[in-house]
Amino acid sequence: MLSAIVGINWGDEGKGRMVDLLSEDYDVVVRYQGGNNAGHTVINHLGKFILNLMPSGILRPEVVNVMGNGMVIDLEHLHKEMGRLIEAGVKITPENLKISDRAIICLPYHVMQDCLEEERLADAKYGSTRRGIAPVYGDKYMKKGIRIGDLLQPEALKKHLQGILDWKNLTITKVYKSEPVEFDAMWKWLETYGNPIKDYICDTGLYLDKAEKDNKKIMFEAQLGALRDIDFGIYPFTSSSNTIAAYAPIGAGIPNHKLHNVIGVMKAYSTCVGEGPFTCEIFGEEAEALRQAGGEYGAATGRPRRVGPFDVTASRYGVRMQGADIIALTKMDVLSGFEKIPVCVAYEIDGKQTTEFLFGDDLERAKPVIEYLKGWNCDITKCRKPQDLPQEAIDYIRYIEKAVECKIRYVSVGAEREEYIEF
């Protein structure tokens, strides 16, 4: 069984929470794209964890976790993240964590270049997390990347690194007028943070292929959401990788396999971190009330998230792009304090309404069309069955389910692992 858990919207939908919950029924959890530019927040009996690189299944000792070839891995960040987890009592060994030899290493000069470019763009910036993601993916596709497996061949790596730095420093010094990157500093960084993970490196494609043949249940964990996908998102305000479920077997190392089902995750309202069109956005006191109620601050960056009502148009598009079979609706409890709940049901552009997700400048100019549903205005965090919910909450769930044309299976009513309802 091959399943993917993916984001429907702009990211931060609560995928880590759902992976942690559902991974109990899986043998393997795989991250297949992205780097440490997003954070998956998980709360369990061990405490609260924000995972940037590690698959969320790492919090279950019986689950094998895989970092796939589609990822870009900052070794220093990985070293620190593993250290924090181990200190908190989480088991991490080469038996339950496997890192693809084909994943690309995100080096300090990628972070440096990311920051320099955002500063150059100034007010026209793309909203980068400044973690080096765009530069490292750019290097990958220009065939200038260093792969995790290169750490196992140090003499060849030295020659490769020198050649890359000769090329990279042309941009660093000539375009950005910054100091050149020194070979010795980069080599020391690779040794310091690369040597401790050598026992974790393997051909994850071979491992996953065998696991599937042995009838293991494999879950693919995405980063960000459909609207941040490099091809189908709000380009150029996107990530630099494919966040959609269709990429999961490729980014995991098993393109010869197909997914059996896709679980899409979306919030009961809308949030967005970073730049780009966000049609349903609200501002002022109304926005701050929702932001405070939901604790809406980026797990990776700490930045206040932009907030708004549930966006039917964007969510229906995200469901289609992800090919979602079922939906997990998160943070339903956050709306409990509202007597009436706004929903963005369509967009208006040039005096006309549309329910189709728009392209480019049209999306920037679109205005939200808002309708209101009756709120339930009571605490639902203790509810564990559908019949425990007030009728207004049931009505809200059914409304969204019909609007996005996908069955809602799970509804979270709190942050803890067991605070959810299955429909």
Side-chain angles (χ1 to χ4, degrees):
M1 171 68 75
L2 304 181
S3 304
I5 292 188
V6 294
I8 295 300
N9 299 121
W10 298 266
D12 300 302
E13 299 95 344
K15 295 178 295 298
R17 183 245 198 280
M18 293 309 302
V19 172
D20 177 63
L21 173 66
L22 299 178
S23 60
E24 182 179 20
D25 298 322
Y26 286 80
D27 303 296
V28 184
V29 173
V30 187
R31 271 283 307 274
Y32 62 86
Q33 48 78 222
N36 60 316
N37 54 319
H40 289 177
T41 303
V42 178
I43 300 174
N44 61 27
H45 68 284
L46 291 173
K48 180 179 179 180
F49 299 91
I50 296 176
L51 306 173
N52 301 125
L53 283 168
M54 301 292 286
S56 299
I58 199 67
L59 300 175
R60 293 189 180 274
E62 71 280 5
V63 172
V64 176
N65 294 266
V66 173
M67 301 174 72
N69 56 274
M71 290 188 69
V72 289
I73 300 174
D74 182 323
L75 298 178
E76 183 175 356
H77 191 100
L78 177 62
H79 179 81
K80 293 177 180 178
E81 190 169 325
M82 290 173 68
R84 287 194 300 270
L85 290 168
I86 291 170
E87 187 176 345
V90 177
K91 184 188 89 169
I92 304 178
T93 71
E95 281 66 51
N96 75 327
L97 175 65
K98 300 182 184 301
I99 303 174
S100 172
D101 54 3
R102 289 172 169 79
I104 300 292
I105 298 174
C106 183
L107 283 100
Y109 57 72
H110 293 121
V111 178
M112 175 185 179
Q113 188 176 350
D114 202 358
C115 295
L116 289 169
E117 178 60 12
E118 283 289 283
E119 290 166 6
R120 187 192 70 81
L121 288 168
D123 292 341
K125 63 183 182 297
Y126 295 153
S128 167
T129 57
R130 301 186 178 220
R131 302 288 177 91
I133 306 302
V136 69
Y137 271 115
D139 284 3
K140 173 180 178 176
Y141 290 106
M142 291 185 71
K143 294 165 283 187
K144 301 290 188 181
I146 294 176
R147 299 188 294 180
I148 290 285
D150 292 336
L151 295 170
L152 304 179
Q153 302 173 354
E155 292 308 312
L157 176 55
K158 283 184 179 181
K159 182 178 179 181
H160 185 41
L161 175 63
Q162 186 62 68
I164 288 175
L165 288 180
D166 290 344
W167 167 76
K168 180 64 69 175
N169 278 329
L170 292 174
T171 301
I172 297 295
T173 60
K174 304 296 184 183
V175 175
Y176 295 111
K177 309 300 181 183
S178 189
E179 293 298 314
V181 179
E182 299 293 338
F183 174 88
D184 288 345
M186 289 302 98
W187 183 251
K188 181 179 179 181
W189 186 89
L190 285 168
E191 286 191 313
T192 300
Y193 300 110
N195 288 341
I197 67 160
K198 286 184 176 180
D199 290 341
Y200 296 83
I201 301 171
C202 67
D203 185 335
T204 57
L206 281 177
Y207 170 79
L208 291 171
D209 191 67
K210 184 178 186 304
E212 204 279 336
K213 290 176 181 176
D214 290 341
N215 295 315
K216 300 291 186 182
K217 296 183 70 176
I218 302 171
M219 176 188 291
F220 301 95
E221 178 183 13
Q223 174 211 57
L224 298 169
L227 303 183
R228 296 296 189 187
D229 183 87
I230 186 67
D231 287 316
F232 303 104
I234 52 172
Y235 189 89
F237 305 100
T238 65
S239 189
S240 300
S241 60
N242 288 108
T243 63
I244 57 173
Y247 184 72
I250 298 171
I254 48 171
N256 51 320
H257 293 274
K258 297 179 181 179
L259 293 174
H260 296 106
N261 70 315
V262 176
I263 302 166
V265 186
M266 59 190 189
K267 283 178 182 168
Y269 53 95
S270 297
T271 63
C272 175
V273 173
E275 307 296 327
F278 185 40
T279 305
C280 66
E281 186 171 10
I282 57 175
F283 303 91
E285 292 183 6
E286 184 183 13
E288 189 56 30
L290 182 56
R291 187 177 295 114
Q292 290 290 337
E296 296 300 347
Y297 299 89
T301 63
R303 290 184 292 187
R305 294 182 183 128
R306 301 157 69 189
V307 297
F310 186 84
D311 189 325
V312 170
T313 299
S315 299
R316 189 191 304 113
Y317 174 79
V319 166
R320 182 164 66 90
M321 290 300 99
Q322 294 289 19
D325 298 295
I326 58 173
I327 293 294
L329 188 68
T330 61
K331 291 204 170 184
M332 185 79 172
D333 54 300
V334 173
L335 299 180
S336 294
F338 296 83
E339 292 188 7
K340 60 178 184 178
I341 300 174
V343 177
C344 176
V345 298
Y347 297 160
E348 181 179 307
I349 182 168
D350 299 330
K352 297 180 180 180
Q353 287 191 16
T354 180
T355 57
E356 296 299 321
F357 196 66
L358 299 171
F359 177 88
D361 185 60
D362 286 348
L363 188 60
E364 293 271 14
R365 296 188 297 111
K367 304 298 182 184
V369 178
I370 303 295
E371 293 183 1
Y372 290 87
L373 300 180
K374 187 177 180 181
W376 46 97
N377 203 24
C378 64
D379 182 22
I380 61 173
T381 58
K382 305 301 182 186
C383 298
R384 295 294 179 269
K385 299 177 182 179
Q387 55 266 35
D388 296 339
L389 290 168
Q391 186 58 48
E392 293 83 359
I394 294 287
D395 292 343
Y396 185 76
I397 293 166
R398 296 306 182 203
Y399 178 92
I400 291 177
E401 186 176 68
K402 182 178 179 180
V404 302
E405 301 172 359
C406 192
K407 167 72 176 175
I408 293 176
R409 173 71 57 80
Y410 306 98
V411 176
S412 78
V413 292
E416 300 288 341
R417 180 182 277 173
E418 303 304 324
E419 291 181 334
Y420 77 101
I421 299 169
E422 184 170 354
F423 280 76

